[in-house]
């Protein structure tokens, strides 16, 4: 800026100087011109004087003749005056032409002077005087002419010079005026410019500085130049930007801090709310100072007041149940040492009321950079309820809900434990003996079915109590399921000792139970396995006891057996049979035999009972009693049963085609319990009937009473559906089951089949005869048909005829035969009965 100001002032100075110089040059020039002009005017005056001198001399000359004497002196004076003036003129500056004229004039004047001198001196000679006078006059005239001419020229010159000088003076004046005015303007301009140069950046700076002062940091000014202001603006801009940067950083930091503070506040608030609202108690352990902070909730959930518990960790550990303390301390140490990712421990802790509460303690250590824990915090949750529930669950998982006895799982666990003990102590006590007893209540199903499940359940409870009372402490009684119980009898002397105890149990069990107003007798089939080093797993001992029990069952129940290796063989044999039976189903190894059912009064054939046989590839024909129970157990009966119904229908259909007059023949098919329980049995039967083009009324189903009793309502529903398609239902083996006569009328059955065992013993004792008579009377009362099974003798036939039993079947009438044999039999022996009267026409059968 300084330079700018200097530059501006210099330029003003130079401008003014230039103007002044120019004006002074003009003035100087004009001054010289004026001096010359003055001189020229003096010359002109001289010339005028010269002219006047000449004119005076001339006039003197011309007047001499009259007054010569007197004027001659004046002529001489005037001529000398002239000469003087002419010489003066010579000193003036003339143009060369004028100077020459002047020189000429001087010569002339000299000549004129000479001529005059001669004229004056030649006074005696008039002529010559005249001549001289004339010559002087002529010369005077010539000088006059020259001088006048010169004067004219000089006047002109003077005029033009005066004009020129006047012009110059005017110009100088103008230049001077202009210089002054322009200098003034320039000065004003420079002042304005300089003012502008200073105020603009200053204003901008002031505005920007004000903005910064108001907080608008980062504002910059656009002003830019190389002056101090430009530098100032640049510095200001940098300062403002740097301020802005700093301000932004500061602002960001403040915001960041605020956020952190807010997060911290929220976190603390959350913690406070959580601590207040949480059901859990919180603890915070400063490991460095070894002080623990316990939240109010921590204390209150254990019944303690604010000051009841200090901040010493030892105090805490001491509250933990002695049995759990060690584990807790070990876990705490492990976590502090960084061996576990977190602390988790369940323990009992002393409540103020003296009881122990179950606690789940979870915690986490905070570590420094070196991984050393300096603080640990966590929560304690009261899990007492859960623990109780868990214990209950565990108890339930290992106990039978009905009797409260250990269940199979617990029994197996104890047995396993027992076996391990035995193995461990085999050196010290090689003769230590214990036994597993496997009980199955005889006839329980019948009791259950007839007296109801509630009575059945109560009986099971009573049995379990009686068994528990019979054993010594340390022995185990368990219910394995259904009517199966088991025992572990410890510390036995020998086999006899076991049998002795078992005998006592049997005796006690045989005593009547009084349940819900019923006097119930029950027995048990008991299998026993004795401990032996051969047993590794509890399942093996239970399996053998089970096999022994099975043996008892097959030998007539209500007894006990100690397991022997041979029993295992028979069980294995059963297993083989099962495998073979599966194959038999696959390869269709079954055949149907048919046993005729006759009308006793007329000896007419009314139908057949279809009886299945298994044509075993190695063992030959196997009878149903040897495989049907197994088929029932394994469920194979479903497939076998379906085949039987289909085969019977197919055969009946074939016979009908073959023997047109046997169009009323019926076939009775035996249905097993499991088969009967299928809910879609009626649909299956209907589809088989349809497939073989057989009507429902041609097929009779033989079921037993116990099958009906098992599921009373469902059985009735099934029977109704079957009867709806015309099928007949016969109650097989009637009299052997635990039947309740009061129920019979409610079953939609058509006939009773008197069991073979009654017929067989009918003539041996009166009791059986009475039973047969009662059954016949019952059937008549209920309007049911009767079929006597197992007629082996003519007496039996006659007797039953007498008793008004309409129908019968038995070896006496015909053995069961295969289809081909039946055809031969029919053709040979019964050709006369081609026209058959249907049994039960007009009655239900
Ligand atoms: P059940 O239904 O009472 O059949 C009558 C049984 O008595 C048949 O034995 C038959 O051969 C036999 N029997 C007939 N008359 C006499 C006789 O005068 N004296 C003697 N001692 N026995 C006679 P089987 O064929 O061995 O059948 C035994 C049981 O097997 C049948 O008793 C029945 O409950 C069942 N069963 C037979 N076939 C089938 C079948 O196809 N399906 C189902 N589920 N069970 C069948
Ligand atoms: Mg039968
Ligand atoms: Mg029978």
């Amino acid at each position: 800026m300084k330079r700018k100001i200097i530059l501006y002032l210099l330029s003003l100075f130079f401008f003014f100087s230039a103007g002044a110089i120019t004006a002074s040059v003009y003035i100087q020039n004009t001054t010289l011109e004026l001096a010359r002009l003055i001189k020229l005017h003096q010359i002109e005056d001289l010339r005028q004087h010269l002219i006047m001198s000449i004119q005076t001399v001339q006039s003197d000359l011309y007047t001499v003749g009259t007054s010569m004497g007197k004027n001659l002196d004046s002529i001489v004076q005037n001529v000398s005056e002239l000469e003087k003036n002419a010489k003066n003129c010579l000193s003036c500056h003339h143009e060369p032409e004028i100077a020459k004229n002047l020189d000429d004039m001087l010569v002339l004047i000299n000549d004129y002077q000479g001529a005059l001198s001669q004229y004056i001196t030649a006074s005696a000679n008039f002529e010559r005087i005249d001549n001289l006078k004339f010559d002087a006059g002529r010369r005077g005239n010539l000088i006059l002419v020259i001088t006048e001419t010169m004067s004219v020229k000089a006047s002109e010159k003077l005029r033009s010079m005066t004009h020129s000088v006047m012009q110059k003076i005017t110009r100088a004046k103008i230049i001077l005026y202009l210089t002054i005015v322009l200098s003034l303007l320039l000065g004003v301009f420079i002042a304005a410019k300089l003012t502008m140069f200073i105020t603009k950046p200053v204003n901008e700076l002031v505005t920007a500085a004000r903005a910064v002062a108001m907080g608008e940091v980062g504002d910059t000014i656009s002003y830019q130049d190389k002056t101090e202001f430009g530098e100032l603006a640049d510095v200001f801009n940098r300062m403002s930007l740097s301020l802005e940067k700093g301000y932004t950083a500061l602002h960001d930091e403040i915001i960041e801090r605020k956020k952190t503070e807010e997060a911290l506040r929220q976190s603390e608030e959350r913690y406070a709310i959580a601590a207040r609202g949480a059901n859990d108690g919180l603890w915070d352990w400063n490991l460095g100072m070894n002080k623990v902070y316990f939240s109010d909730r921590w204390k209150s959930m254990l019944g303690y007041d604010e000051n009841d518990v200090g901040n010493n960790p030892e105090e805490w550990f001491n509250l933990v149940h002695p049995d759990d303390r060690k584990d807790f301390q070990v876990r705490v140490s492990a976590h502090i040492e960084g061996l576990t990712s977190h602390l988790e421990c369940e323990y009992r802790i002393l409540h103020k009321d003296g009881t122990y509460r179950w606690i789940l303690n979870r915690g986490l250590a905070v570590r420094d950079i070196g991984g050393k824990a300096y603080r640990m915090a966590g929560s304690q949750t009261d899990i007492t309820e859960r623990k109780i529930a868990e214990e209950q669950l565990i108890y339930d998982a290992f106990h039978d809900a009905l009797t409260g006895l250990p269940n199979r799982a617990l029994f197996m666990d104890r047995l396993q434990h027992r076996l391990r003990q035995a193995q461990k102590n085999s050196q010290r006590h090689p003769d230590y003996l214990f036994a597993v007893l496997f009980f199955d209540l005889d006839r329980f199903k019948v009791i259950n079915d007839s007296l109801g499940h509630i009575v059945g359940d109560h009986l099971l409870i009573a049995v379990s109590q009686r068994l528990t009372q019979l054993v010594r402490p340390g022995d185990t009684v368990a219910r394995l399921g259904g009517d199966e119980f088991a025992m572990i009898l410890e510390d036995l002397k020998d086999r006899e000792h076991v049998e002795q105890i078992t005998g006592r149990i049997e005796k006690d069990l045989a005593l009547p139970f009084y349940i819900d107003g019923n006097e119930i007798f029950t027995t048990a089939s008991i299998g026993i396995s004795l401990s032996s080093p051969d047993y590794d797993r509890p399942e093996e001992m239970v399996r053998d006891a089970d096999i022994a029990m099975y043996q008892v069952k097959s030998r007539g129940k209500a007894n006990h057996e100690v397991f022997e290796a041979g029993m295992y063989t028979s069980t294995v044999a059963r297993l083989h049979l099962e495998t073979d039976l599966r194959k038999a189903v696959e390869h269709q190894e079954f055949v149907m035999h048919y046993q005729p059912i006759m009308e006793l009064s007329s000896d007419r054939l009314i139908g057949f009972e279809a009886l299945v046989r298994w044509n075993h590839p190695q063992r030959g024909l196997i009878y149903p009693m040897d495989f049907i129970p197994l088929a029932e157990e394994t469920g194979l009966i479903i497939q076998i049963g379906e085949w039987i119904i289909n085969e019977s229908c197919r055969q009946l259909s074939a016979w009908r085609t073959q023997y047109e007059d046997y169009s009323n023949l019926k076939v009775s098919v035996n249905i097993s319990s499991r088969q009967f329980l299928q809910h879609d049995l009626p649909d299956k039967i209907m589809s088989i009937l349809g497939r073989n083009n057989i009507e429902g009324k041609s097929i009779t189903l033989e079921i037993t009473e116990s099958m009906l009793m098992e599921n009373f309502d469902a059985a009735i529903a099934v029977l109704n559906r079957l009867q709806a398609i015309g099928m007949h239902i016969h109650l097989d083996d009637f009299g052997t089951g635990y039947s309740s006569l009061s129920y019979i009328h409610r079953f939609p059955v058509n006939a009773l089949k008197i069991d073979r065992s009654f017929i067989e013993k009918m003539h041996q004792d009166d009791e059986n005869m009475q039973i047969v008579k009662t059954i016949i009377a019952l059937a008549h009362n209920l309007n049911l048909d009767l079929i006597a099974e197992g007629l082996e003798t003519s007496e039996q036939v006659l007797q039953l005829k007498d008793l008004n039993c309409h129908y019968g079947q038995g070896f006496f009438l015909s053995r069961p035969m295969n289809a081909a044999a039946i055809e031969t039999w029919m053709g040979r022996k019964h050709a006369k009965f081609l026209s058959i009267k249907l049994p039960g026409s007009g009655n239900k059968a």
Side-chain angles (χ1 to χ4, degrees):
M1 194 65 208
K2 202 161 53 184
R3 247 192 298 153
K4 213 169 209 171
I5 293 170
I6 291 170
L7 217 65
Y8 273 111
L9 289 179
L10 277 178
S11 62
L12 180 64
F13 173 75
F14 283 128
F15 180 78
F16 189 76
S17 299
I21 288 166
T22 313
S24 66
V25 168
Y26 262 91
I27 289 166
Q28 206 178 357
N29 277 353
T30 313
T31 311
L32 286 175
E33 291 265 319
L34 278 172
R36 250 184 88 200
L37 202 61
I38 290 163
K39 206 144 216 176
L40 281 176
H41 272 287
Q42 285 171 348
I43 293 169
E44 194 56 35
D45 278 348
L46 287 174
R47 209 180 329 263
Q48 288 302 325
H49 282 292
L50 186 62
I51 290 168
M52 274 165 60
S53 304
I54 296 169
Q55 279 173 339
T56 307
V57 171
Q58 282 295 76
S59 95
D60 287 344
L61 203 52
Y62 284 107
T63 58
V64 162
T66 52
S67 55
M68 181 67 82
K70 158 178 114 168
N71 290 328
L72 204 49
D73 290 339
S74 110
I75 290 171
V76 172
Q77 196 190 338
N78 284 335
V79 168
S80 45
E81 188 80 12
L82 175 70
E83 198 181 358
K84 200 178 97 195
N85 284 336
K87 279 184 182 163
N88 277 345
C89 272
L90 273 177
S91 61
C92 301
H93 293 289
H94 293 292
E95 287 168 16
E97 191 193 347
I98 294 168
K100 193 181 166 264
N101 283 343
L102 276 174
D103 284 340
D104 288 346
M105 234 170 64
L106 269 178
V107 174
L108 277 174
I109 287 168
N110 279 332
D111 288 348
Y112 185 45
Q113 222 171 358
L116 280 174
S117 307
Q118 281 178 7
Y119 166 59
I120 297 163
T121 54
S123 40
N125 195 336
F126 286 106
E127 202 180 320
R128 207 180 148 207
I129 292 171
D130 281 337
N131 281 340
L132 283 170
K133 195 178 142 181
F134 181 71
D135 189 42
R138 194 189 44 91
R139 289 186 195 263
N141 280 342
L142 187 61
I143 291 167
L144 200 63
V145 169
I146 290 170
T147 308
E148 279 178 347
T149 308
M150 278 176 72
S151 182
V152 169
K153 278 189 178 173
S155 293
E156 264 176 32
K157 180 96 179 172
L158 262 177
R159 251 197 329 272
S160 84
M161 271 180 74
T162 307
H163 181 71
S164 159
V165 167
M166 285 314 286
Q167 270 185 334
K168 280 187 178 163
I169 287 169
T170 310
R171 260 182 229 149
K173 263 200 283 182
I174 289 169
I175 286 168
L176 259 179
Y177 290 149
L178 271 176
T179 303
I180 289 164
V181 171
L182 287 177
S183 293
L184 195 71
L185 286 175
L186 189 63
V188 170
F189 171 75
I190 286 171
K193 197 80 180 159
L194 281 176
T195 309
M196 203 181 73
F197 278 145
I198 293 167
T199 52
K200 192 182 171 228
V202 167
N203 280 344
E204 277 198 44
L205 274 165
V206 167
T207 312
R210 239 182 236 142
V212 171
M214 300 288 284
E216 290 171 26
V217 284
D219 256 26
T220 53
I221 41 182
S222 54
Y223 187 81
Q224 260 183 346
D225 66 8
K226 290 182 176 158
T227 66
E228 289 84 346
F229 286 114
E231 201 181 327
L232 184 62
D234 184 45
V235 170
F236 176 86
N237 283 349
R238 275 192 276 138
M239 180 193 76
S240 180
L241 288 175
S242 147
L243 266 177
E244 187 191 31
K245 218 167 128 188
Y247 181 80
T248 312
L250 197 69
H251 184 258
D252 288 352
E253 197 182 316
I254 288 169
I255 288 190
E256 200 52 46
R257 276 189 187 212
K258 277 192 176 166
K259 272 191 201 163
T260 313
E261 274 171 22
E262 180 59 18
L264 188 69
R265 193 189 61 74
Q266 282 187 6
S267 161
E268 277 177 359
E269 203 172 88
R270 252 201 310 275
Y271 170 79
I273 293 169
R276 257 183 281 127
N279 207 26
D280 293 355
L282 305 177
W283 54 269
D284 187 353
W285 184 357
N286 186 326
L287 295 170
M289 294 164 70
N290 202 28
K291 293 255 157 62
V292 197
Y293 157 79
F294 299 106
S295 73
D296 291 346
R297 176 68 193 140
W298 192 98
K299 293 172 186 168
S300 70
M301 65 196 280
L302 297 175
Y304 297 109
D305 293 328
E306 176 73 39
N307 300 319
D308 285 348
V309 184
N311 55 9
N312 188 347
E314 279 309 311
E315 229 177 303
W316 183 11
F317 291 135
N318 286 336
L319 290 175
V320 176
H321 193 285
D323 291 350
D324 304 338
R325 197 176 297 153
K326 183 115 184 98
D327 177 53
F328 178 42
Q329 283 170 326
V330 166
R331 282 169 193 260
V332 166
S333 304
H335 184 53
I336 290 176
E337 282 165 31
L339 302 175
T340 52
S341 63
H342 63 285
L343 168 72
E344 187 163 329
C345 187
E346 288 182 4
Y347 52 75
R348 283 158 291 174
I349 194 163
L350 190 65
H351 192 277
K352 199 177 178 180
D353 65 10
T355 61
Y356 277 95
R357 306 290 298 173
W358 270 103
I359 290 294
L360 166 64
N361 195 345
R362 284 208 191 92
L364 199 67
V366 188
R367 297 170 196 282
D368 59 20
I369 305 166
K372 188 170 180 267
Y374 61 89
R375 183 178 170 181
M376 184 156 62
S379 64
Q380 72 169 14
T381 314
D382 191 328
I383 53 163
T384 311
E385 302 293 319
R386 196 194 85 197
K387 276 281 174 186
I388 292 170
E390 268 176 19
E391 275 163 16
Q392 186 62 45
L393 272 178
I394 291 168
Y395 182 87
D396 291 349
F398 289 103
H399 289 82
D400 172 50
L402 181 70
T403 60
L405 290 179
N407 63 9
R408 181 183 289 270
L410 183 55
F411 182 80
M412 289 304 206
D413 187 64
R414 290 208 183 152
L415 187 54
Q416 166 127 10
H417 183 72
R418 186 60 265 170
L419 280 168
R420 289 226 185 101
Q421 288 283 106
Q423 276 167 358
K424 231 165 75 183
N425 301 333
S426 59
Q427 299 287 337
R428 269 183 294 152
H429 307 285
D431 301 326
Y432 188 87
L433 188 70
F434 66 93
V436 167
L437 271 63
F438 196 110
F439 292 72
D440 189 284
L441 298 186
D442 302 324
R443 294 177 64 249
F444 177 74
K445 200 166 155 41
V446 179
I447 295 165
N448 211 18
D449 287 348
S450 53
L451 300 175
H453 291 281
I454 295 173
V455 174
D457 284 353
H458 290 170
L459 176 65
L460 288 173
I461 294 168
V463 168
S464 74
Q465 286 167 351
R466 203 173 278 184
L467 288 176
T468 312
Q469 283 161 11
L470 286 170
V471 297
R472 295 165 298 174
D475 292 345
T476 302
V477 180
R479 181 178 173 220
L480 304 188
D483 57 353
E484 289 176 353
F485 292 85
M487 274 185 190
I488 303 172
L489 297 182
E490 303 273 355
D491 202 8
L492 301 166
K493 290 192 197 87
D494 48 25
R495 184 187 171 130
E496 257 173 53
H497 189 191
V498 186
E499 297 215 41
Q500 199 186 321
I501 297 173
T502 313
R504 213 172 57 225
I505 294 171
E506 283 174 319
K507 227 171 97 194
D508 269 52
L509 271 184
L511 297 172
F513 289 93
Y514 297 98
I515 290 164
D516 302 339
N518 302 289
E519 185 185 35
I520 301 172
F521 290 91
T522 185
T523 54
S525 302
I526 308 170
I528 303 165
S529 57
L530 295 171
S531 63
S532 129
D534 296 340
Y535 287 125
D536 266 341
R537 296 187 301 121
E539 292 83 5
E540 294 167 356
M541 264 194 101
V542 173
R543 176 202 64 201
D544 288 355
D546 191 10
I547 289 170
M549 187 277 293
Y550 202 78
Q551 194 78 6
V552 177
K553 285 263 181 211
S554 62
R555 287 183 186 169
K557 308 176 180 175
N559 207 338
H560 69 264
E561 291 269 2
V562 177
F563 173 77
E564 272 158 26
M567 294 176 186
Y568 186 72
T569 323
S570 66
T571 310
V572 170
R574 188 175 160 273
L575 268 176
H576 283 307
L577 189 70
E578 188 183 325
T579 317
D580 289 353
L581 189 61
R582 289 184 192 279
K583 283 187 199 153
V585 172
E586 208 179 307
H587 302 142
Q588 301 214 332
E589 291 172 0
F590 303 100
V591 285
M592 292 312 294
H593 281 196
Y594 300 91
Q595 185 176 34
I597 300 170
M598 316 292 288
E599 189 180 42
L600 296 178
S601 55
S602 60
D603 200 23
R604 281 178 192 163
L605 172 70
I606 58 159
F608 303 100
E609 176 171 7
L611 298 160
V612 69
R613 275 92 181 89
W614 173 11
N615 201 356
H616 192 281
Q618 282 89 40
R619 292 167 58 189
L621 219 55
I622 300 179
Y623 283 83
M625 291 315 285
D626 295 330
F627 70 89
I628 290 289
L630 189 63
E632 275 257 305
E633 237 174 82
T634 53
L636 289 167
I637 191 69
I638 305 294
Q639 281 162 278
I640 299 172
E642 232 172 285
W643 180 86
I644 290 167
I645 301 170
N646 189 58
E647 178 58 18
S648 307
C649 290
R650 190 200 60 76
Q651 188 58 68
L652 181 65
S653 178
W655 282 337
R656 283 195 172 165
T657 323
Q658 208 173 332
Y659 309 105
E660 281 179 5
D661 294 319
Y662 279 89
S663 59
N664 289 322
L665 269 187
K666 288 183 163 205
V667 168
S668 297
V669 179
N670 292 283
I671 297 289
S672 81
S673 168
R674 189 136 176 198
Q675 224 181 330
F676 188 63
L677 288 175
Q678 292 176 90
H679 65 279
D680 59 346
L681 181 71
D683 302 315
K684 280 184 176 170
I685 292 177
M686 276 189 261
S687 100
I688 293 171
L689 291 173
R691 207 184 304 149
N692 293 289
N693 203 18
I694 294 286
E695 296 162 311
K697 65 177 186 184
S698 305
I699 299 296
T700 298
L701 295 187
E702 292 193 8
I703 57 171
T704 61
E705 291 160 273
S706 54
M707 279 159 64
L708 293 176
M709 299 303 286
E710 266 170 27
N711 199 340
F712 193 86
D713 295 328
I716 290 180
V718 169
L719 293 182
N720 282 334
R721 283 189 68 192
L722 293 171
Q723 283 196 332
I725 54 166
M727 292 181 81
H728 283 194
I729 313 293
H730 291 179
L731 273 189
D732 206 354
D733 305 338
F734 192 77
T736 56
Y738 196 86
S739 69
S740 171
L741 296 178
S742 57
Y743 278 109
I744 289 191
H745 72 279
R746 294 177 57 188
F747 290 123
V749 294
N750 306 86
L752 308 178
K753 292 187 81 172
I754 308 169
D755 191 65
R756 198 172 69 223
S757 56
F758 303 118
I759 307 295
E760 197 185 344
K761 295 174 193 157
M762 202 167 52
H763 287 103
Q764 289 168 11
D765 56 56
D766 191 47
E767 194 186 334
N768 278 297
M769 178 61 90
Q770 285 311 316
I771 290 172
V772 172
K773 282 182 181 171
T774 310
I775 293 172
I776 292 171
L778 178 76
H780 287 159
N781 283 341
L782 294 173
N783 204 18
L784 297 172
D785 266 327
L786 271 169
I787 301 157
E789 289 185 311
L791 297 177
E792 290 183 351
T793 62
S794 57
E795 288 124 46
Q796 288 165 344
V797 175
L798 286 171
Q799 180 72 62
L800 284 158
K801 254 191 202 171
D802 283 352
L803 288 171
N804 225 352
C805 175
H806 302 116
Y807 310 102
Q809 73 181 93
F811 293 170
F812 179 76
L813 300 169
S814 168
R815 283 183 173 265
M817 294 173 281
N818 63 27
I822 285 285
E823 283 163 22
T824 316
W825 177 83
M826 284 208 289
R828 192 180 65 229
K829 210 171 176 187
H830 286 271
K832 57 182 176 175
F833 295 117
L834 283 182
S835 160
I836 288 171
K837 181 178 169 285
L838 262 180
S841 47
N843 62 38
K844 282 189 180 180

